[in-house]
């Protein structure tokens, strides 16, 4: 009788475990069915010496998103200075050689990220977060830097300026990238850097602190586009 009760108990436990596994699998499948664009975006707060910038990362560029989150979580960006700032264009950061010597460098592996260019859904509008990379001459696959990124400030464009940008795009992309009416309208209303479209991976955007991006973009720089007074990332952290 004792053995029968034990066998019955074991069977009930097996049924319960199988049921739980089925529920977990169903939940995972349901989550997978949510369209990528409807999935909640991860967000990162970048605290700089001039103020805070909050950015949202696109789910449609998962390799860039995950690499960026990995570096943020490791503390990689803490203490690194913006090393390339071009007025009316963009601000660039992420070179580990620009780290404050008083901030300990984390032990983290760096590797290039395959291009995830999602144009025209994502383009170089004002506030766009994009990955820096080496030129086409040495990097025809347009793989992104392991750690360097830039935030676009740019300028508002009129039709003549956009037509000029389109001619430059035709030359650089062999006519494969076209500024759609929707994209052109955004550049007229918001601003940005259209001549980069379709050639660099845009993987997020500023959701708070665009005024801080402007402040950094407007700092005085030397003839190598390096700020005369260092502007640093004090801390980057995952907030969502």
């Amino acid at each position: 009788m004792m053995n029968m009760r034990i066998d019955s108990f074991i069977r009930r436990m097996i049924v319960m475990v199988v049921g739980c596994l089925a529920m977990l699998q169903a939940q995972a499948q349901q989550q997978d069915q949510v369209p990528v664009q409807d999935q909640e975006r991860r967000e990162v707060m970048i605290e700089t010496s001039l103020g805070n910038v909050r950015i949202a990362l696109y789910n449609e560029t998962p390799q860039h998103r995950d690499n960026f989150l990995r570096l943020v979580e490791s503390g990689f960006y803490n203490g690194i200075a913006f090393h390339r700032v071009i007025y009316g264009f963009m601000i660039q950061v992420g070179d580990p050689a620009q780290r404050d010597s008083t901030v300990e460098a984390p032990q983290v592996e760096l590797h290039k990220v395959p291009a995830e260019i999602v144009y025209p859904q994502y383009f170089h509008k004002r506030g766009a977060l994009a990955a820096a990379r080496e030129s086409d001459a040495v990097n025809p696959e347009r793989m992104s830097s392991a750690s360097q990124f830039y935030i676009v400030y740019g300028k508002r464009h009129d039709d003549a300026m956009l037509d000029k940008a389109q001619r430059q795009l035709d030359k650089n992309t062999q006519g494969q990238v076209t500024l759609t009416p929707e994209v052109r309208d955004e550049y007229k209303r918001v601003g940005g850097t259209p001549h980069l479209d379709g050639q660099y991976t845009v993987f997020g955007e500023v959701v708070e602190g665009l005024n801080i991006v402007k402040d950094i973009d407007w700092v005085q720089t030397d003839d190598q586009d390096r700020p005369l007074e260092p502007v640093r990332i004090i801390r980057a952290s995952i907030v969502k």
Side-chain angles (χ1 to χ4, degrees), residues 106-196:
Q107 299 299 313
V108 58
E109 183 180 355
L110 297 178
H111 52 81
K112 290 183 178 179
V113 185
E116 294 179 298
I117 299 171
V118 188
Y119 181 84
Q121 182 175 356
Y122 298 127
F123 52 97
H124 286 78
K125 65 181 180 181
R126 180 167 289 171
L129 171 74
R133 66 172 179 83
E134 296 176 313
S135 68
D136 289 357
V138 296
N139 179 30
E141 299 88 1
R142 294 174 173 165
M143 296 184 68
S144 297
S145 163
S147 60
Q148 293 191 40
F149 66 88
Y150 59 93
I151 301 176
V152 172
Y153 192 73
K155 61 184 69 173
R156 290 187 176 89
H157 287 60
D158 57 25
D159 282 321
M161 295 165 68
L162 289 170
D163 290 343
K164 181 179 179 180
Q166 183 62 67
R167 290 192 293 272
Q168 187 173 351
L169 285 171
D170 290 342
K171 179 181 178 180
N172 293 342
T173 69
Q174 293 75 51
Q176 295 181 3
V177 176
T178 300
L179 299 174
T180 67
E182 295 79 12
V183 169
R184 288 176 68 101
D185 181 64
E186 192 80 1
Y187 282 129
K188 290 178 184 178
R189 293 188 304 103
V190 177
T193 57
H195 67 281
L196 299 180

Side-chain angles (χ1 to χ4, degrees), residues 51-153:
N52 297 347
V53 179
R54 185 174 180 132
I55 58 177
L57 306 176
Y58 299 144
N59 292 317
E60 293 85 349
T61 52
Q63 295 184 77
H64 283 73
R65 176 199 62 200
D66 293 349
N67 181 66
F68 189 67
L69 291 172
R70 178 178 65 89
L71 294 177
V72 168
E73 195 168 34
S74 74
F76 174 84
Y77 291 110
N78 301 347
I80 293 183
F82 288 84
H83 66 279
R84 187 168 180 243
V85 172
I86 302 178
Y87 172 74
F89 182 25
M90 58 92 220
I91 60 176
Q92 185 172 332
V93 70
D95 180 358
Q98 306 303 317
R99 189 185 310 280
D100 185 337
S101 59
T102 65
V103 177
E104 183 178 355
Q107 299 299 313
V108 58
E109 183 180 355
L110 297 178
H111 52 81
K112 290 183 178 179
V113 185
E116 294 179 298
I117 299 171
V118 188
Y119 181 84
Q121 182 175 356
Y122 298 127
F123 52 97
H124 286 78
K125 65 181 180 181
R126 180 167 289 171
L129 171 74
R133 66 172 179 83
E134 296 176 313
S135 68
D136 289 357
V138 296
N139 179 30
E141 299 88 1
R142 294 174 173 165
M143 296 184 68
S144 297
S145 163
S147 60
Q148 293 191 40
F149 66 88
Y150 59 93
I151 301 176
V152 172
Y153 192 73

